[in-house]
């Protein structure tokens, strides 16, 4: 079996995925890469290569030289940042995907993981228990890129036999690495501020329910999907997976169980419109059936672990 390359390893998901894959496969089997020239501090102990996924030549060279057979492509601009840089978001999110899909089409690599998102849904999508297959009219640049990417993944699978697998991640909550540029980031930021000052101003309104998940569940889902026999992976666009769903008000209540004086105020900004276009909670029957997906973290359990572990000195 060849090596595994994680592209975008310095981000919120990548950091934890590299650690999980290295502990499963051995450090020598996993190469972390990111556009940053310096090795991210959390990845000091791992093999690290500076790589821009848009540099097709360097990517191809690295994959061949290192005998990489599986790529996890995590480099992307998230929803809020993509609204500010639409042209670059489209270029990075789409051309990056094509560069990797084409390596599999040319049989240079065997297997790809590519993340999609709840952002593929839009204001016309049923909001509660959103089905796997439903109306998808995304209104963000990020959502459009993920929706198009899903269709390209299914196309490459169908047409060229490419083994590409994908999950529609909900908002992900973790303490190892800060998220960057997402609409769901408030649900991570809030923990740093709760510990640091006991106060937080949310950029989403109090009753905005969104699908969320603790990172450990998301990493387990990713690895389980990649380990599943190919014939069980019946959905080649991207799988809905569901963890927890809560509003800023409900999250505040759960934090107050540990920090009774914690207070929140609300000052919605442009991200409110994005959040309002996304589902409250999504249905993951197919993931449960096809590769036995099961979340382990409740809201209470996630809050406890986050408060125990976030390093509040990392934020201003
Ligand atoms: N967490 C992401 C974002 O908010 C959704 O995929 O952009």
């Amino acid at each position: 079996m060849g090596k595994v390359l994680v592209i975008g390893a310095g981000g919120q998901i990548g950091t934890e995925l590299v650690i999980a894959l290295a502990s499963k496969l051995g450090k020598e089997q996993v190469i972390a890469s990111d556009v940053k020239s310096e090795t991210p501090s959390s990845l000091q102990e791992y093999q690290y290569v500076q790589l821009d996924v848009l540099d097709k030549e360097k990517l191809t060279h690295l994959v061949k030289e290192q005998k990489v057979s599986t790529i996890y492509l995590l480099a992307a601009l998230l929803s809020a940042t993509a609204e500010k840089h639409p042209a670059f978001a489209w270029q990075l999110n789409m051309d990056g995907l094509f560069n990797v899909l084409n390596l599999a089409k040319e049989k240079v690599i065997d297997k790809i993981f590519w993340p999609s998102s709840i952002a593929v849904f839009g204001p016309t999508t049923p909001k509660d228990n959103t089905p796997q297959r439903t109306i998808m009219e995304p209104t963000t640049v990020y959502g459009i890129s993920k929706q198009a990417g899903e269709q390209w993944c299914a196309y490459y699978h169908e047409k060229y036999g490419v083994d590409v697998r994908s999950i529609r991640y909900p908002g992900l909550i973790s303490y190892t690495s800060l998220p960057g540029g997402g609409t769901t980031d408030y649900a991570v930021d809030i923990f740093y501020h709760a510990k640091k000052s006991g106060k937080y101003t949310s950029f989403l309104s109090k009753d905005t329910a969104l699908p969320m998940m603790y990172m450990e569940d998301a990493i387990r889902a990713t690895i389980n999907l990649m380990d599943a026999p190919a014939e069980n992976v019946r959905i080649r666009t991207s799988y809905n997976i569901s963890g927890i769903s809560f509003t800023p008000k409900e999250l505040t209540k759960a934090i107050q169980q540990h920090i009774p004086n914690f207070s929140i105020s609300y000052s919605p900004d442009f991200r409110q419109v994005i959040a309002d276009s996304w589902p409250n909670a999504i249905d993951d029957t197919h993931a449960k059936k096809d590769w036995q997906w099961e979340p382990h973290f409740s809201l209470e359990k996630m809050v406890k672990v986050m408060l125990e572990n976030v390093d509040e000195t990392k934020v201003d």
Side-chain angles (χ1 to χ4, degrees), residues 129-130 240-243 282-289 293 295:
N129 211 23
T130 305
N240 277 13
I241 61 167
S242 168
I282 65 177
D283 174 67
D284 58 2
T285 312
H286 288 272
K288 286 186 164 136
K289 196 166 75 164
W293 158 245

Side-chain angles (χ1 to χ4, degrees), residues 78-80 116-119 142 169-172 181-185 278:
L78 292 191
S79 59
S116 185
S117 161
I118 51 164
Y142 177 67
Y169 288 131
L172 297 179
T183 300
T184 55
D185 295 6
W278 291 351

